[in-house]
Amino acid sequence: MAIRGLRNLTSPPSSSLFKVRSLTQWSPEAQNYTQYQNPNQANPNRLNYPTHNFAHQQRQPQQNPNQWNSGTQNYPQYPNPGQVRPNVQDYRQPTRWNNQNQGHPQARNPVQWAPQGQNPNEGRGALETRASPAPAPAPSTLDLMHLCQEGKVKDAIELMDKGVKADADCFYALFELCSKFEDAKKVHDYFLQSTYRGDLKFNNKVIEMYGKCASMTDARRVFDHMPDRNMDSWHLMINGYANNNLGDEGLQLFEQMRKLGLKPTEDTFLAVLSACASADAVEEGFLHFESMKNEYGINPGMQHYLGVIDILGKSGYVNEIEEYIEKLPFAPTVEIWDAFRNYARIHGDIDLEDRAEELMVALDPSKSVANKIPTPLPKKYSAISMLEGKNRIPEFRNPTLYKDDEKLKAMSKAVSYVPDTRYVLHDIDQEAKEQALLYHSERLAIAYGLISTPARTPLRIIKNLRVCGDCHNAIKIMSRIVGRELIVRDNKRFHHFKDGSCSCGDYW
């Protein structure tokens, strides 16, 4: 009995033995590995592999037989947590899990993938740089020059507003292109801020630019403040006055030039004859023509004789032109007869026009027209007036929209304005004719300009047709009433209305 009891104490039941075997049947120790009672005892047959195993190496058996058990076995505990067993790596070390991971990828530090000596954030910054759009290049003087070559004055001025500096070529091109007063003022302002503001050549271009924009006041201001002047400066001013029907001012400037001791040239007398034609100064024009030969010893050329014909033609002396041509010291040329024909046509003398055309064709048969047929009636265009700097003002028919024009009509009658209904070709009654004259496009443009522009500033009107005689008389009276200069450019010439008079001398 004692022996049987001892056997029962030392041998576990069969069920317990089965459980032990099931827990250890997949352990490495079940594969006939030699077991050691002392865990610190080294295995003499075991190879000492280095601790940094690679993923492709075969996993070696561990010292603790239950360490990699998938069962409910716990990891061995040690009395001192700080004690580290030799030759056994801690399961918390990341290198061990990386080596024993059986091919599953693990998250890594970005530094681990970066090449040596390279910042890991460098690639990310490069991607962000490539993703962001490249900034547009700043506009340059070359871009400004391209706009000037294309004739885009507005775009060129906007580019200068953004800070682009114009060079000499850009200013020269802009002075040639500017035909509106607002554009000319902006370009001139930028020119005054540049280093070219004292250049004589560029100042002459500014005078020419203002002359094309019908602003002889600004041109004269530039002329008076120029540190140096040459003969071209005087010629540009006199021609500018002549082209704007301010011939009297041009002749006064010529007298001022003579008082300064400047000797006139051939070009000077061409400008003087043009000013005489603008001012209808027929006698003064012939005096200057004679002084050119007698006083200054300048032989007149073809252009000077044509200038005398212009003086006679613009003043309405058509028959006198034919007499003057017969007294010329040379045989009349094609240019002489062509000018005579044009003035005969302007003044409605058909007989003189045909005679001049016959004489012109006799000298140059290429001027003739084969199978000439009567000239058809001119195409009728709708009258349109433009107020410079504003929108286009067409001709309207609704009288309720133009109360300001009605006021001007009433005030005009108070200063002896009588409508001239001869210029109304419609077969309507007298009152309707007066009403039709009231709504001509140039009058509407002036009425709109008076209510939309500052007081005492000049108005510049551009008309695509010729101003009728009644509107010409009415605008003269308007300029006296409102006390402003009204500049009207029709398809023939400039009209500067000021203080009740026009620069054309009523040769409209």
Side-chain angles (χ1 to χ4, degrees), residues 315-453:
S315 301
Y317 298 100
V318 182
N319 295 323
E320 285 76 3
I321 295 177
E322 187 177 12
E323 297 176 3
Y324 180 75
I325 293 176
E326 294 175 355
K327 298 178 181 179
L328 289 177
F330 55 89
T333 62
V334 176
E335 292 80 6
I336 297 293
W337 292 119
D338 190 18
F340 178 40
R341 183 193 63 172
N342 291 334
Y343 284 113
R345 179 182 300 172
I346 290 175
H347 294 281
D349 197 331
I350 300 177
D351 295 335
L352 288 179
E353 178 185 355
D354 293 339
R355 187 186 311 167
E357 186 172 358
E358 291 177 1
L359 295 173
M360 180 182 65
V361 172
L363 294 176
D364 188 0
S366 63
K367 298 290 184 179
S368 63
V369 179
N371 299 326
K372 182 178 179 181
I373 59 176
T375 304
L377 294 176
K379 183 179 178 181
K380 183 178 180 181
Y381 296 94
S382 59
I384 296 176
S385 294
M386 301 280 293
L387 177 62
E388 189 168 327
K390 300 292 181 182
N391 294 329
R392 188 171 65 180
I393 309 298
E395 183 177 1
F396 295 97
R397 295 293 182 181
N398 191 350
T400 61
L401 298 177
Y402 313 116
K403 295 182 179 180
D404 289 319
D405 209 15
E406 296 280 357
K407 293 179 181 179
L408 287 176
K409 177 184 176 182
M411 298 174 68
S412 298
K413 285 187 175 181
V415 289
S416 68
Y417 164 70
V418 178
D420 191 353
T421 57
R422 292 179 302 170
Y423 299 96
V424 180
L425 304 179
H426 301 286
D427 188 11
I428 52 180
D429 58 10
Q430 185 68 19
E431 185 178 356
K433 289 183 177 181
E434 294 182 4
Q435 194 77 7
L437 289 173
L438 184 62
Y439 300 139
H440 280 189
S441 61
E442 55 267 41
R443 299 194 190 190
L444 299 180
I446 292 173
Y448 179 73
L450 293 176
I451 64 176
S452 61
T453 57

Side-chain angles (χ1 to χ4, degrees), residues 111-132:
V111 183
Q112 184 176 359
W113 297 100
Q116 186 177 3
Q118 181 178 354
N119 187 1
N121 294 326
E122 183 178 355
R124 183 180 303 175
L127 291 176
E128 294 177 357
T129 304
R130 288 194 297 267
S132 60

Side-chain angles (χ1 to χ4, degrees), residues 269-278 281-282 285-286 289 292 300-315 321 324 328 335-336 339 343:
F269 281 102
L270 284 177
V272 171
L273 294 176
S274 180
C276 292
S278 177
V282 179
F286 277 96
F289 184 80
M292 177 180 63
M302 178 63 66
Q303 296 300 323
H304 296 94
Y305 287 104
L306 287 174
V308 175
I309 293 177
D310 289 338
I311 295 174
L312 295 173
K314 289 184 177 180
S315 301
I321 295 177
Y324 180 75
L328 289 177
E335 292 80 6
I336 297 293
Y343 284 113

Side-chain angles (χ1 to χ4, degrees), residues 254-281:
F254 174 67
E255 294 298 329
Q256 181 181 351
M257 185 185 72
R258 294 177 60 182
K259 292 178 181 179
L260 294 175
L262 298 177
K263 184 178 180 180
T265 62
E266 296 180 0
D267 294 334
T268 306
F269 281 102
L270 284 177
V272 171
L273 294 176
S274 180
C276 292
S278 177
D280 294 338

Side-chain angles (χ1 to χ4, degrees), residues 87-114:
N87 302 327
V88 178
Q89 296 181 357
D90 190 7
Y91 72 95
R92 291 168 293 184
Q93 296 180 0
T95 56
R96 176 167 185 174
W97 290 102
N98 293 336
N99 296 335
Q100 306 292 338
N101 195 17
Q102 299 181 3
H104 294 285
Q106 300 292 331
R108 286 193 169 187
N109 192 347
V111 183
Q112 184 176 359
W113 297 100

